[in-house]
Amino acid sequence: MKYLGFLLVIALTVLLGYAVSIPLGPLPPTVPLLDPNQGFWQNMLSEDELAEEEINLSNLSEPVQVLYDENLIPHIFASNEEDLYRVQGYVTAKHRLWQMEFQTRAAAGRLAEIVGPVALELDRMTRRKGLAFGAELGLKYLQEKDPELLRLVEAYADGVNQYIEELSDARLPLEYKILDYRPEPWSPYKSLLLLKYMSDMLVGDRDLEYSNLRKILGEELLDKLYPQYPQDLDPVIEAGHSWDFTPVSISRPDSISYPSDAIVIDPLPQPEEGVGSNNWAVAGSKTKNGNPILANDPHLSLNLPSLWYSMQLTTPQHSVKGATLPGALGVISGFNEHIAWGVTNATKDARDWYKITFQDENRKAYKYGEEWRPTQFRVEEIHVKGEPVFLDTVVYTHYGPIVYDRTFRSNRQDVNFALKWTAHEGSNEQKTFVLMNKAKNHGDYNAALDNFTAPAQNFVFASKSGDIAMRIQGKFPLKWEDQGKFFMDGADPKMEWQTYIPNEQNPSTLNPQRAFVSSANQHPVDQSYPYYVFDNSYEHYRNRRLNNRLREMSDITVEHMMALQFDDYYLHAAEALPVMLDLLGDHQSSNDKAKKYLKELKDWDFYADPGQKAPTLFYVWWNKTFNQIWQSWHEFGVPVVTPSNYTTVQLLKNEPEGPVFDSEKTAALETASDHVRKGFDEMLEAMINWENEEGDYAWANYKRTSIQHLVPQFRPFSVQNVFTGGGSGILNATSGRHGASWRMVVELGDEIKAFGIYPGGQSGNPGSKFYKNFITKWANGEYLNFDLRTPGDNGSVLFQTTFKSNP
Amino acid sequence: MKFISILVLSTLIVVFVSPFLTYWMIMVLLGILSFVLKPGKWAAFWGGGLGMGLSWLGQSYYLSASTGSALPAQMADLMQLGSSIYLFIITGVLGFLLGALASLSGALLRNLLKRKPNNIYKGTIY
């Protein structure tokens, strides 16, 4: 009896002890999550409550001092770069480990490993796009050509790894506890992968859609609806800039045959509308204090933990501060004692597609001119949580990986498209930032940029010595007109990219006469630039608003520049609404609700401030009208892209009776006015519904800006309904899910004054008080002080840590 | 009396040793404690259970109160529990069950090894 009782109890104890240690269905293991000493309860502690005065870190040559200011921004004081980046790796991992690992997993196509089969399709796509392939080539490039930089990247990885090694269960980031996995060691390869992740986030192409449209609309209508240059061109490099180089010649093949069939494959995910950025610099002659002022605000998907992590990085030779990307070395957008710089995306059709003709079923060779070239096979092993390993064979040609084939997103056996992308070439973007961090003048800035390949960026520059500059840097293939706008025949060698535009011929400007430089993702240059420039997604509104303001401003102060970053002027509405009201005529004029809405629209000053109602009315009316006009585009049955808002407004204004507005399906002749009126009726209905169901339709309530945790299912860790203005196409580009992910303004006087903010917080831990503490300030257009600190400067210090090497 | 000792000593173990060990090692320690102190079954069960359960409840409450973090409410939301109170209760109950069973196992094992009186007649018959 005694034995039986004991055996029963011990069995029960072991069983319970075991049951609470394993995942139950989709739930994570119970006790590791709930134990107050190891589980999520521990993640309630904020970083200042866990401050350490001293940390042992191997491989340091000298002790390193880290001072955290009141916002938990670390200021690292090291005696050389290798120590500096080792500690940058350690400190970043301490605050953002889960995020940096998660993002590189996403870039490597390894999400299914932790979340299961739901991510398998996404992982296959990522791998077929060859992001990991690109990062491997990048690493090979460093090993062969830049061992010195590789040493720094290795030091960073070592810093991250020393943190991971000493990581206790209690300090494990919350997301690991919930998703039940552990961090893996970091490596230089992962730092490079992160930069590929950025490339992927920022680069799109519409070659598939254009190929289809070319077939459906014909070239003439295509050129009219998707013009290469807009009427109101206000490019990045000031119009009329004289190009002082002899262009490399390129000849367009005499005969071009495009693959002719309409293509029904799911296009690659595109960067979301609203992904873009602003940057500018004004010369001392335009500012109150006579110092150049530089501003930058990259617009990206609004996420928590924030994409950016602020830091100051100091050695005896340089001191730089600004926004870093967790996982990459140095500061990405920032300033030092001599210069400031910032980035915006410089999209320019960097991806092209080639149709591949295989010799036979085995896919071992493909046609290229008169010969058959051998392919290479890369077998992607995708581990899937809770399921067997998924093997995906990707065929590589000399162009690049075949993304679409019979096993992936194609319902036809003979459809094979290879992707050619500059991100697949060995390159050294990391070097650009390491050099830029130390740059002292315009020459250093240019030297740093020479290493940058992808994703192409507009690099703005200003220096204490008074220079302002802009350079559009990337590795740009030299294309003949229309090359790469459509899918091309990979069997025809004439379709190849022939060469690249030399770095020194990339568009750039130094101290232009207008005394400012600026970029907002618009066309890079005017028609005088000797090379073919094309992209579907160029901005038409933010750039003009920005340049109009900068042209008319003088005696500029830092506060003016902050106000401009937060400028809510809705230029698209200002141009479209009068035309729409005109076309509406007296439609619905006896409807009370319509009268009320129309009055609000007519009284509007075109600012999309959060409490305004008119922006909502315009936004809904515009979108309904736009859909009315381009409805038939959705009925083509193949992927296409609609003309831009800008082009649509031009058509409404200039040819309201034109044939594009007429539907072929009806006998009657439709004009612009019909679409505007139908749009208005739909808006009326939608707004009445909204008022009944949601109540207030003020702009902020309608657009509902939310800052989402990287795992969308973790809703409680997101911030919903942020009260803030702006929107897509507005300088303050804050829409529902996108917006200024970082705002910085720097005045380069004798003493540099700097300000910055981003919608998040320094900590990646949702339980920490530093997780989202910047959001309210960001939403109100306020900034944090970002002045450089010296080691002795002890004002508003949260805590300090000294890193010492084990003897 | 044994109950009080078990309760106090289990609490001390959970509070001071837990940060360095995982929960199952703590369970082994609680088992050893009962094995050594030889409490009765009920004293072992309740002493170990309340020791670990109240410690866990107290620790989670203390962390929550001292940091003011909104995390318990967010976790409860994520786990669709409605209120963070349930998280505290579940944590306490789990601690209780693990502590109680571990402690009882130790006591029963000791009971098992209790030297059996093998000579009920006292004295020797030659």
Side-chain angles (χ1 to χ4, degrees):
Chain A
M1 191 57 211
K2 270 200 288 187
Y3 286 95
L4 195 63
F6 168 72
L7 285 177
L8 207 68
V9 171
I10 192 83
L12 197 62
T13 310
V14 172
L15 196 70
L16 181 72
Y18 176 70
V20 295
S21 75
I22 54 164
L24 298 168
L27 296 173
T30 327
V31 163
L33 187 67
L34 293 180
D35 177 352
N37 299 289
Q38 323 287 350
F40 87 87
W41 302 101
Q42 284 290 324
N43 299 81
M44 288 191 284
L45 294 164
S46 293
E47 288 68 8
D48 54 339
E49 289 154 328
L50 296 163
E52 288 164 281
E53 266 179 35
E54 234 180 81
I55 291 177
N56 280 321
L57 195 67
S58 307
N59 309 324
L60 285 180
S61 63
E62 298 280 335
V64 175
Q65 188 71 25
V66 180
L67 175 159
Y68 293 86
D69 73 6
E70 55 188 336
N71 298 310
L72 196 69
I73 297 173
H75 298 64
I76 305 180
F77 300 97
S79 53
N80 58 61
E81 280 186 284
E82 211 173 314
D83 285 355
L84 181 73
Y85 292 124
R86 202 176 303 277
V87 174
Q88 188 189 6
Y90 185 97
V91 168
T92 307
K94 201 171 172 85
H95 293 166
R96 298 290 187 87
L97 179 62
W98 176 78
Q99 166 194 12
M100 53 200 272
E101 249 224 314
F102 184 80
Q103 286 169 339
T104 46
R105 267 179 187 277
R110 291 184 52 200
L111 288 179
E113 255 172 64
I114 47 173
V115 302
V118 285
L120 181 59
E121 270 297 287
L122 179 65
D123 280 349
R124 286 188 71 192
M125 176 55 100
T126 309
R127 292 184 188 222
R128 284 175 164 260
K129 279 190 291 196
L131 294 180
F133 172 68
E136 283 161 21
L137 290 175
L139 185 62
K140 212 169 128 209
Y141 184 96
L142 288 191
Q143 284 160 346
E144 284 165 8
K145 299 195 178 139
D146 200 349
E148 207 176 311
L149 186 82
L150 183 60
R151 207 164 42 88
L152 299 181
V153 185
E154 278 168 350
Y156 183 97
D158 176 53
V160 176
N161 285 333
Q162 290 196 47
Y163 179 70
I164 294 175
E165 273 159 34
E166 60 160 60
L167 185 62
S168 66
D169 284 347
R171 298 280 72 81
L172 191 67
L174 183 62
E175 290 88 347
Y176 290 112
K177 294 181 186 175
I178 299 174
L179 293 170
D180 185 28
Y181 71 109
R182 300 274 313 184
E184 283 180 355
W186 193 260
S187 65
Y189 164 73
K190 291 190 178 178
S191 289
L192 303 185
L193 202 50
L194 183 83
L195 294 166
K196 298 292 168 196
Y197 177 74
M198 295 304 295
S199 246
D200 186 45
M201 195 190 297
L202 293 170
V203 171
D205 70 79
R206 293 296 193 175
D207 301 3
L208 164 65
E209 291 86 345
Y210 274 103
S211 301
N212 285 332
L213 281 171
R214 189 176 158 278
K215 195 168 149 41
I216 297 165
L217 302 175
E219 274 189 57
E220 197 184 336
L221 190 54
L222 184 71
D223 287 344
K224 180 186 162 79
L225 297 180
Y226 307 84
Q228 196 186 345
Y229 287 100
Q231 212 174 10
D232 303 285
L233 179 68
D234 198 342
V236 174
I237 302 301
E238 70 283 0
H241 183 89
S242 65
W243 309 103
D244 52 355
F245 57 80
T246 319
V248 180
S249 65
I250 176 114
S251 57
R252 195 168 195 260
D254 310 328
S255 63
I256 299 164
S257 60
Y258 293 109
S260 60
D261 21 52
I263 305 151
V264 192
I265 46 180
D266 286 341
L268 287 190
Q270 298 292 321
E272 306 259 345
E273 201 187 335
V275 169
S277 317
N278 309 319
N279 66 17
W280 66 85
V282 288
S285 61
K286 267 180 104 65
T287 65
K288 193 170 171 207
N289 299 332
N291 306 318
I293 303 179
L294 179 140
N296 183 203
D297 56 305
H299 315 148
L300 293 163
S301 167
L302 298 173
N303 285 114
L304 288 168
S306 176
L307 185 69
W308 302 105
Y309 178 68
S310 295
M311 275 187 158
Q312 176 179 319
L313 304 172
T314 302
T315 66
Q317 283 73 42
H318 79 294
S319 193
V320 61
K321 193 167 182 176
T324 71
L325 282 175
L329 281 70
V331 168
I332 306 294
S333 162
F335 64 97
N336 60 29
E337 303 118 301
H338 308 280
I339 66 146
W341 78 97
V343 288
T344 67
N345 196 25
T347 174
K348 188 171 148 188
D349 199 14
R351 288 199 308 218
D352 280 338
W353 297 89
Y354 290 93
K355 182 172 173 156
I356 299 300
T357 314
F358 287 122
Q359 191 171 25
D360 56 38
E361 279 279 282
N362 295 324
R363 306 193 292 176
K364 286 195 172 129
Y366 61 100
K367 192 165 193 270
Y368 185 71
E370 297 305 309
E371 53 175 319
W372 294 100
R373 284 206 176 183
T375 58
Q376 278 172 342
F377 286 63
R378 182 181 161 110
V379 179
E380 298 285 356
E381 247 180 65
I382 308 178
H383 294 263
V384 185
K385 189 179 180 179
E387 285 193 5
V389 175
F390 184 94
L391 296 178
D392 195 16
T393 305
V394 187
V395 185
Y396 276 69
T397 64
H398 78 286
Y399 293 111
I402 295 182
V403 177
Y404 297 104
D405 61 18
R406 62 188 181 204
T407 68
F408 191 69
R409 296 208 181 178
S410 162
N411 44 14
R412 280 174 44 184
Q413 290 290 311
D414 61 339
V415 169
N416 299 290
F417 288 106
L419 171 63
K420 173 117 181 152
W421 186 9
T422 47
H424 291 153
E425 291 169 33
S427 59
N428 199 353
E429 285 77 16
Q430 183 62 74
K431 180 148 192 163
T432 295
F433 295 107
V434 167
L435 290 179
M436 189 72 86
N437 282 208
K438 304 184 282 190
K440 293 189 164 72
N441 52 47
H442 184 250
D444 293 348
Y445 151 87
N446 269 330
L449 291 188
D450 284 340
N451 298 289
F452 197 86
T453 294
Q457 299 288 303
N458 304 305
F459 283 90
V460 69
F461 169 88
S463 71
K464 218 161 147 173
S465 59
D467 287 331
I468 58 166
M470 178 71 76
R471 173 164 157 192
I472 303 172
Q473 179 57 30
K475 190 172 178 185
F476 296 113
L478 205 177
K479 296 183 181 181
W480 34 266
E481 199 179 326
D482 282 353
Q483 186 177 16
K485 188 170 177 178
F486 313 106
F487 278 24
M488 295 183 280
D489 184 2
D492 183 352
K494 284 184 300 200
M495 298 293 125
E496 276 285 9
W497 294 357
Q498 293 169 15
T499 179
Y500 294 95
I501 296 174
N503 262 335
E504 62 277 11
Q505 298 188 3
N506 276 340
S508 67
T509 185
L510 171 67
N511 299 323
Q513 213 181 356
R514 62 180 183 179
F516 69 88
V517 291
S518 77
S519 78
N521 316 108
Q522 76 268 41
H523 287 70
V525 288
D526 68 7
Q527 292 90 333
S528 68
Y529 185 64
Y531 300 118
Y532 174 66
V533 169
F534 165 77
D535 197 89
N536 172 64
S537 64
Y538 288 133
E539 171 68 36
H540 295 100
Y541 294 105
R542 277 184 288 119
N543 57 322
R544 288 187 290 141
R545 170 67 180 168
L546 177 60
N547 287 350
N548 290 345
R549 288 292 294 135
L550 288 174
R551 270 189 276 267
E552 67 195 17
M553 285 169 101
S554 58
D555 270 343
I556 295 171
T557 62
V558 161
E559 287 71 28
H560 291 138
M561 300 288 85
M562 292 175 175
L564 196 53
Q565 284 190 330
F566 206 55
D567 179 85
D568 284 342
Y569 189 73
Y570 202 164
L571 180 58
H572 165 50
E575 291 180 350
L577 186 60
V579 180
M580 289 160 76
L581 287 171
D582 201 37
L583 290 167
L584 184 70
D586 59 1
H587 184 69
Q588 292 275 18
S589 60
S590 55
N591 181 327
D592 284 344
K593 209 65 187 178
K595 267 196 266 185
K596 175 176 166 268
Y597 291 153
L598 279 171
K599 179 164 176 2
E600 283 171 358
L601 283 168
K602 284 173 184 163
D603 292 345
W604 184 27
D605 60 3
F606 299 116
Y607 280 84
D609 294 330
Q612 293 240 38
K613 289 179 190 296
T616 308
L617 298 174
F618 169 76
Y619 180 83
V620 177
W621 186 12
W622 172 259
N623 283 321
K624 301 285 184 197
T625 306
F626 186 90
N627 285 339
Q628 278 294 332
I629 298 170
W630 306 120
Q631 210 170 21
S632 54
W633 260 238
H634 302 295
E635 292 159 9
F636 291 148
V638 290
V640 292
V641 59
T642 47
S644 67
N645 278 351
Y646 174 80
T647 304
T648 310
V649 176
Q650 292 294 315
L651 291 168
L652 286 174
K653 195 163 97 183
N654 299 333
E655 40 188 294
E657 323 261 298
V660 290
F661 293 113
D662 185 36
S663 162
E664 281 170 12
K665 282 194 291 188
T666 58
L669 181 75
E670 282 90 7
T671 64
S673 177
D674 294 306
H675 296 293
V676 168
R677 286 174 186 174
K678 269 190 209 151
F680 188 83
D681 294 344
E682 286 182 18
M683 182 269 276
L684 211 56
E685 196 190 321
M687 290 317 299
I688 290 168
N689 277 341
W690 179 275
E691 283 199 80
N692 289 339
E693 279 159 31
E694 311 280 344
D696 186 12
Y697 58 95
W699 183 227
N701 278 347
Y702 184 80
K703 72 169 173 148
R704 297 205 166 142
T705 298
S706 69
I707 305 171
Q708 212 171 62
H709 190 276
L710 284 170
V711 179
Q713 287 77 10
F714 290 180
R715 265 203 55 185
F717 306 145
S718 305
V719 176
Q720 319 280 343
N721 303 337
V722 181
F723 187 78
T724 194
S728 179
I730 299 173
L731 280 181
N732 173 16
T734 311
S735 59
R737 287 283 307 115
H738 296 86
S741 60
W742 159 243
R743 290 191 185 112
M744 171 180 78
V745 178
V746 185
E747 175 169 2
L748 292 125
D750 286 338
E751 203 182 317
I752 291 182
K753 301 303 279 173
F755 303 87
I757 189 87
Y758 64 85
Q762 287 288 92
S763 171
N765 171 18
S768 163
K769 57 177 174 272
F770 300 105
Y771 174 65
K772 54 183 182 190
N773 55 325
F774 299 162
I775 291 179
T776 311
K777 279 190 173 156
W778 170 85
N780 291 332
E782 294 163 29
Y783 292 75
L784 307 172
N785 180 325
F786 259 70
D787 291 350
L788 288 170
R789 271 175 179 267
T790 51
D793 180 1
N794 284 333
S796 50
V797 170
L798 197 64
F799 62 95
Q800 298 196 46
T801 305
T802 308
F803 287 81
K804 285 187 180 150
S805 204
N806 279 322
Chain B
M1 211 36 230
K2 284 279 170 66
F3 165 74
I4 300 287
S5 335
I6 293 281
L7 176 65
V8 170
L9 289 171
S10 320
T11 306
L12 291 176
I13 289 176
V14 175
V15 173
F16 292 104
V17 187
S18 280
F20 312 102
L21 299 177
T22 55
Y23 74 96
W24 63 264
M25 298 180 195
I26 298 296
M27 289 171 70
V28 172
L29 286 183
L30 294 193
I32 294 172
L33 183 72
S34 288
F35 185 84
V36 174
L37 292 187
K38 297 187 275 179
K41 286 178 216 162
W42 292 111
F45 182 82
W46 287 103
L50 288 176
M52 189 150 167
L54 290 176
S55 299
W56 277 22
L57 186 65
Q59 285 178 311
S60 48
Y61 178 76
Y62 171 78
L63 277 169
S64 163
S66 66
T67 60
S69 170
L71 195 57
Q74 292 168 346
M75 287 297 291
D77 190 1
L78 189 68
M79 297 158 97
Q80 298 173 343
L81 288 175
S83 159
S84 62
I85 290 174
Y86 297 115
L87 264 182
F88 288 97
I89 293 175
I90 294 171
T91 302
V93 168
L94 264 177
F96 177 86
L97 288 176
L98 295 173
L101 286 172
S103 183
L104 181 60
S105 300
L108 291 181
L109 182 64
R110 180 59 182 251
N111 200 21
L112 213 62
L113 300 183
K114 212 192 287 176
R115 187 192 261 267
K116 278 184 213 157
N118 57 2
N119 181 359
I120 50 168
Y121 297 107
K122 299 192 177 160
T124 337
I125 302 162
Y126 291 100

